[in-house]
């Protein structure tokens, strides 16, 4: 049942728009409150009157029409729902979303919202496989839009292929699954570390690594989506902080160590996705080091191994580590599980294309201390993060049974 949920259904202009009627009807039968926003093109395929009757609520499509309430309409619509479902989502609307274009009421809502978005694409198979559409879908996935389908099969244009919208029952099941999954970590306190620490050499130079923060930020977002209270302890990155996540900004490994320890006693789960510098210069020069033409020697001293320390002090926390390896991935990762006393280790071979540092995707193996292992193929970092959330929720559930 969806009785405490408000779902905004965005209907765009494709032949599958007629199926929006069934989707809305099914959502209403599950007691969801439904808001409907149509593009003008969609109103040519199915009337607002039909959808209004099924939704039992006004239907919105006119950006410049007389507002139905005295709010800035697209902002009010963007903020109210628990979830936005776009069904059907045409190639055109997906392209506008990817480009940030807001030229009608629906695309304005989509640009103004920070709510989760599910999209059910529907289009001719050539349009679906066009590199522009594929690039738009990849970009939107990276920005956390989740896709339902499309299916393959007979299309209204008379051809067969990918691009057919999923059936209304499956789309509504995906909406239900979204809300079931979302509460997996409700009430849990989660610390996530991200980014590459910076270790100063002098006032203008530092040692660091190639971590962009993408993996850690995606984990923070997925944890938040699952209902957790998330603190993201992040070394400097250029990533936007996911909505609802508390950022604790740090620069060095020692600062990260202090902040992680500060939150550790209260945390239910700690995920260490950060790439922490193992060494730092033994002293930071007060002034910019001058060029002399001679060799320059830097003395490096070890940084604290944060994960190792957490493993030693672990009481009830679930500890999740990462292993960034360039050779012998699984053997090295297994050694880290034992040495650092973690409950789960995510191993990535950072030399693989589409994996590791900076890439929007990753390829990982999830290893458990009892020897179980799950190999995850190349997926976007947010998809991998959502898989990790499910694994962690499973460990928490097992612990509760003990
Ligand atoms: O940020 P992105 O560009 O998205 O890249 C993602 C990533 C490659 C950084 C990420 O997937 C990843 O592998 N993170 C861990 C990087 C790392 O430092 O791995 P490691 O094998 O050196 O360390 C093992 C574990 O110990 C890690 O959980 C690390 O956070 C932790 N560690 C390491 C050193 C240290 N001094 N303290 C630590 O806590």
């Amino acid at each position: 049942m969806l009785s405490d949920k408000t779902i905004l259904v965005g209907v765009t202009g494709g032949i599958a728009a007629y199926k929006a009627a069934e989707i809305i009807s099914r959502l209403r039968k599950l007691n969801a409150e439904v808001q409907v926003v149509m593009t003008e093109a969609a109103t040519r395929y199915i009337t607002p009157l039909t959808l209004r009757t099924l939704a039992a609520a006004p239907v919105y499509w006119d950006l410049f029409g007389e507002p139905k309430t005295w709010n800035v309409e697209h902002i009010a619509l963007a903020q109210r729902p628990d979830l936005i479902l776009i069904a059907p989502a045409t190639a055109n609307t997906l392209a506008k979303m990817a480009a940030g274009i807001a030229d009608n009421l629906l695309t304005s809502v989509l640009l103004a919202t920070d709510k989760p978005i599910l999209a059910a694409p529907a289009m001719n198979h050539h349009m679906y496989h066009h590199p522009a559409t594929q690039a738009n879908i990849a970009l939107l996935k990276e920005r956390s839009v989740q896709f339902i389908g499309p299916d393959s099969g007979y299309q209204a244009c008379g051809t067969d292929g990918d691009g057919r919208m999923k059936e209304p029952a499956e789309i509504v099941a995906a909406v239900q699954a979204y809300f079931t999954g979302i509460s997996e970590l409700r009430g849990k306190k989660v610390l996530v570390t991200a980014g590459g620490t910076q270790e100063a050499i002098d006032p203008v130079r530092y040692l660091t690594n190639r971590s962009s923060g993408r993996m850690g930020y995606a984990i923070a977002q997925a944890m938040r989506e699952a209902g957790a209270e998330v603190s993201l302890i992040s070394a400097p990155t250029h990533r936007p902080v996911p909505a609802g996540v508390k950022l604790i900004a740090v620069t060095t490994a020692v600062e990260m160590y202090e902040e992680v320890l500060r939150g550790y006693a209260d945390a239910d789960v700690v995920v260490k996705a950060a790439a922490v510098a193992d060494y730092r210069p033994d002293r930071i020069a007060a002034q910019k080091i001058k060029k002399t033409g001679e060799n320059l020697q830097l003395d490096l001293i070890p940084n604290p191994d944060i994960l190792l320390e957490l493993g030693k002090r672990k009481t009830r926390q679930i500890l999740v580590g990462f292993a960034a390896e360039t050779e012998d991935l699984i053997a090295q990762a297994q050694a880290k599980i034992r040495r650092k006393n973690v409950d789960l280790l995510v191993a990535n071979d950072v030399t693989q294309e589409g994996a590791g540092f900076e890439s929007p995707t990753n390829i990982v193996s999830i290893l458990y201390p009892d020897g179980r292992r799950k190999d995850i193929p190349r997926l976007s970092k947010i998809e991998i993060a959502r898989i990790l959330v499910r694994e962690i929720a499973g460990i928490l559930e097992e612990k509760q049974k003990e």
Side-chain angles (χ1 to χ4, degrees):
M1 297 297 268
L2 298 169
S3 32
D4 55 344
K5 304 289 181 248
T6 301
I7 295 160
L8 187 152
V9 180
V11 186
T12 69
I15 184 61
Y18 79 93
K19 293 187 180 174
E22 189 182 339
I23 293 170
I24 291 166
S25 163
R26 283 176 178 270
L27 289 173
R28 290 285 299 144
K29 282 184 194 145
L30 292 168
N31 285 343
E33 187 179 330
V34 178
Q35 299 175 312
V36 183
V37 180
M38 304 175 76
T39 61
E40 205 155 331
T43 66
R44 299 190 179 216
Y45 287 95
I46 185 162
T47 69
L49 176 63
T50 306
L51 300 190
R52 186 178 77 195
T53 310
L54 292 167
V59 168
Y60 302 81
W61 74 92
D62 187 356
L63 187 57
F64 300 108
E66 197 61 18
K68 298 190 171 53
T69 54
W70 288 112
N71 289 317
V72 180
E73 206 152 56
H74 66 282
I75 303 295
L77 285 165
Q79 282 166 2
R80 176 98 201 288
D82 297 291
L83 175 76
I84 297 182
L85 168 69
I86 314 170
T90 58
N92 186 43
T93 292
L94 293 176
K96 288 182 189 178
M97 286 168 72
I101 292 171
D103 63 347
N104 60 40
L105 184 60
L106 180 61
T107 48
S108 302
V109 168
L110 294 171
L111 195 59
T113 196
D114 61 354
K115 305 295 175 191
I117 301 175
L118 300 188
M123 65 200 72
N124 159 275
H125 70 278
H126 291 300
M127 292 170 90
Y128 178 66
H129 285 294
H130 192 285
T133 305
Q134 288 302 311
N136 290 334
I137 290 175
L139 181 61
L140 291 170
K141 277 187 181 167
E142 207 195 306
R143 291 188 196 146
S144 314
V145 175
Q146 294 183 46
F147 284 81
I148 310 166
D151 261 346
S152 204
Y154 178 75
Q155 302 201 295
C157 52
T159 54
D160 243 284
D162 299 332
R164 203 182 134 85
M165 190 170 81
K166 283 266 184 206
E167 288 307 319
E170 290 173 277
I171 291 173
V172 172
V175 170
Q176 284 183 284
Y178 175 83
F179 285 114
T180 318
I182 198 170
S183 55
E184 278 174 328
L185 296 180
R186 186 157 290 158
K188 298 292 177 204
K189 288 199 168 77
V190 177
L191 290 183
V192 180
T193 70
T197 62
Q198 296 179 354
E199 313 296 332
I201 297 170
D202 68 14
V204 299
R205 304 182 180 97
Y206 54 79
L207 298 174
T208 191
N209 56 66
R210 288 175 37 211
S211 172
S212 64
R214 278 175 187 268
M215 192 67 247
Y217 277 55
I219 292 168
Q221 181 187 328
M223 291 284 183
R224 181 69 200 126
E225 284 171 2
E229 199 181 299
V230 185
S231 297
L232 174 62
I233 302 173
S234 176
T237 73
H238 298 287
R239 313 273 339 143
V241 182
V245 167
K246 180 179 165 200
L247 175 75
I248 300 170
V250 297
T251 303
T252 65
V254 169
E255 286 169 13
M256 184 173 276
Y257 179 54
E258 285 163 1
E259 288 299 340
V260 172
L261 282 193
R262 205 190 307 280
Y264 193 41
D266 256 4
D268 298 293
V269 179
V270 181
V271 185
K272 292 278 301 88
V276 185
D278 288 319
Y279 293 92
R280 67 179 186 274
D282 68 338
R283 52 177 288 274
I284 304 171
Q287 307 300 332
K288 182 180 168 195
I289 298 171
K290 296 281 180 249
K291 183 167 59 187
T292 62
E294 300 295 311
N295 288 357
L296 174 71
Q297 197 160 341
L298 285 177
D299 273 329
L300 302 179
I301 54 172
N303 268 327
D305 188 323
I306 308 171
L307 189 57
L308 189 82
E309 291 305 321
L310 298 181
K312 285 185 200 158
R313 297 166 197 218
K314 189 162 76 171
T315 52
R316 61 190 179 83
Q317 296 88 349
I318 307 289
L319 201 51
V320 180
F322 269 71
E325 305 296 345
T326 55
E327 57 183 348
D328 298 337
L329 180 70
I330 300 302
Q332 301 277 5
Q334 277 162 344
K336 274 184 186 156
I337 294 191
R338 287 188 291 277
R339 199 167 67 247
K340 303 203 179 190
N341 189 22
V342 295
D343 299 280
L344 199 73
L345 195 108
V346 186
N348 42 188
D349 176 346
V350 294
T351 60
Q352 254 186 303
E353 195 171 331
F357 295 101
E358 294 164 326
S359 163
T361 56
N362 209 351
I363 303 163
V364 303
S365 291
I366 300 176
L367 289 91
Y368 282 85
D370 63 8
R372 272 180 300 144
R373 176 175 135 199
K374 295 185 183 174
D375 295 330
I376 314 294
R378 180 173 158 167
L379 288 176
S380 71
K381 284 182 173 167
I382 187 68
E383 285 170 302
I384 290 186
R386 291 191 183 115
I387 292 172
L388 283 179
V389 165
R390 285 201 290 278
E391 296 294 324
I392 292 165
I395 300 177
L396 279 164
E397 210 178 292
E398 285 303 311
K399 284 224 165 174
Q400 266 155 16
K401 283 188 206 150
E402 284 168 10

